[in-house]
Amino acid sequence: MVLFKRKPVQYLPNPQIEDDNTDVWVIGQTGEIFTLYEAYLQRMDFYKQVSILTSKLVAACNLTCAFVQRRFICDITGHSGLDFFEALKSEIHGAKDVDRSFPEPLREPVLRKVQFSTISRIDSLVDWIFDEFKQDFYPGETVTVLVASGQRLNGIVREKTRFTEIRGVDGFVERRGFSRYFVALINRPEEEALVDDDHIMRDRKAFTKQILRSYIKNTVTRESWTGAPWLVKDHIAKKFRIETEVPSHLRQESKIAEKKAQLAQKRGEQNTKSLAAVSPNARLTDLKPSSKSHKSKQQQQVSKSKNAQSKDLQNGNTNGKKGTHSAEQVQFIHTNFPASDSTAARDPVKPPQPPPIKYPIEDLDIPIEFDPALSRRRPPLKFIAPVEPGPVPSKGPTNAHEFSAEAVGLLLETWDTLNVYCEVFVLDSFTFDDFVDALKVSSDDVECELFIEMHCAVLKILVDDESAGGKIQVMLPAMPEEEYSEEEDSVQDSTAPPSPTPEPEPVVRASRRTTRSSLAAAEADKAANRSRSGSRETATHRAVEMLADYSWADRLRKRDFKLGGWETIMVGLLYQLSLKKQNESACETILRELAPIDMEATQETARYQYANLNCNLRIKALQMICMLTMETKVVRAYLEECGEESTGIRRERVELQRKRKML
């Protein structure tokens, strides 16, 4: 089933159509029928996940931007970022592959083992099933046997006999459980082999955890509530005659009732503990229910005494012999309640002491006690950029050694990337303060080692070394080689002798109808040609001339970083990135500073200009090349390795928890 937000997509029920002439709309992939076109469009929008996004900038321009957000997941392959129809197609192909690859003899035993299992995680379930069937074989399965002569022969399991474990009276195992298999040899049709568990095996590719996981996902479902059992799909359960009725103790109602009983039991234990804490020395009397009244004995005695007093007062017998108490005694009737520690509660309660500080803790959360003698105060916060109310200015500070408010996000993003992937970049971890200070260094004589190492380490990831093939690991826009070819052709044409120009022949144009769309297309082509010619005529930098003899990719393959080498590589890389429309404005701004028109296009110019570049432009250039490394195979392999390592650690933790529960 296709998943949406980790839950299977439920199809809408078909409406009842009484009139055969009614217009209907059908979604062929799901079989859903709609009598209203609006409902059909709404369902198709859900399947394609077409959403409307209105941002502040777009709202200011009175525009609405629509985007497609793919949030469906293929349940079999686990592929995400798909729309419904792509995920459904992926599931169909995945189901066919699983049916073709999973061994037929193992299907029924595996499903019977999975049915009504309450293991929550699919990874744990796959590990458990794999361990159970790794050394267990069934009739009809293709295996490899090891005969007495030492040869490995292929065969098919014809018969299996299971011998159970035998335990003695004292509980010790006298004989472990084992199996015997009659295997019909494929290359020897007239011979059979009788082997045990130690001399039989299957092909490693026939039964793997990946194939088992895909088969379980394709054949088993599970509800979303906690503790729900795994259930085999109905049509598959009928095929293998597997019981589908869920036991009563595994149903959701019984689970809820069990939790309520546990909560009630805990509350009862807490009430008994609180009563024992109030009067630990007092003996609790047995409370017996009375049919007449629910009052306690003390309350009944008080009420009886009050009734007797009122009768004596009515009869005027204040000193009487019939009265039980005198008038003075009536006003001061004392009831003997059991002694308790209630007097201690009258004492003033001291405020509880604050809990001890548990480290590690955020620096700003540590309380500082003010001491007038030592003048201990919290130091003031230091801001990278001035924080002022209102919108942030787009130009930023005029000082080249101060960061603007827009650069704070780039600083944090780049610093986090370099430290998280420090093993990939072969860099030592460094603090954020050192990172900011390194970007601010501006000197022609002194070089900052951290600043140079950051750029060189990132650039090495983008292009391999010459010994490794020198392949570029990222997708970059193509360089405009057509301009150079056109210039060369023009030079050759100028040197060649002029050829006679033939008389122009009359061009017969086919008469066609001029429409509004054709006129608009013609105007758009003219505007595009004018913009191209204008961009070629007005050059804002000399990056192309700086890379005319020695391309940045060749320089990077040879690791030519010294004496302005890596700065020239940055110029060439930024120029190639500027050919993409979304990077054009940012790259052009940086290139105007690194390869200006009024300076020579040399390697020394790139080194000098980068040493005096604005720190806001420095962090922008470094952030752009860091984002390029996320597309390389090295980073992807590192992420997969970390994922496998975390999965292994998680499995070890689960195994340790199981062992601890068994103890």
Side-chain angles (χ1 to χ4, degrees), residues 465-477:
D465 193 1
E466 280 187 339
S467 59
K471 184 179 179 181
I472 299 177
Q473 298 294 331
V474 293
M475 295 294 294
L476 296 173

Side-chain angles (χ1 to χ4, degrees), residues 1-10 75 114-126 215-234 246 250 252 255 259:
M1 269 191 156
V2 178
L3 302 180
F4 178 73
K5 295 183 179 179
R6 297 186 179 181
K7 294 182 181 179
V9 177
Q10 302 294 335
D75 191 19
V114 174
Q115 182 75 323
F116 305 140
S117 176
T118 56
I119 299 175
S120 59
R121 292 183 57 85
I122 184 67
D123 295 336
S124 303
L125 180 65
V126 170
Y215 179 71
I216 291 175
K217 279 191 169 185
N218 188 30
T219 56
V220 179
T221 60
R222 182 171 175 265
E223 297 181 3
S224 58
W225 54 275
T226 305
W230 295 93
L231 302 175
V232 180
K233 294 180 180 179
D234 293 337
V246 182
L250 295 178
Q252 188 176 11
K255 294 286 186 181
K259 289 182 179 180

Side-chain angles (χ1 to χ4, degrees), residues 531-546:
S531 63
R532 290 171 187 169
S533 61
S535 61
R536 290 179 180 177
E537 292 175 0
T538 60
T540 58
H541 54 77
R542 305 183 68 178
V544 180
E545 301 176 18
M546 192 175 293

Side-chain angles (χ1 to χ4, degrees), residues 152-165:
R152 295 178 180 268
L153 303 176
N154 296 328
I156 299 175
V157 178
R158 187 177 63 82
E159 187 178 348
K160 171 187 176 182
T161 305
R162 179 68 181 174
F163 298 92
T164 59
E165 185 181 67

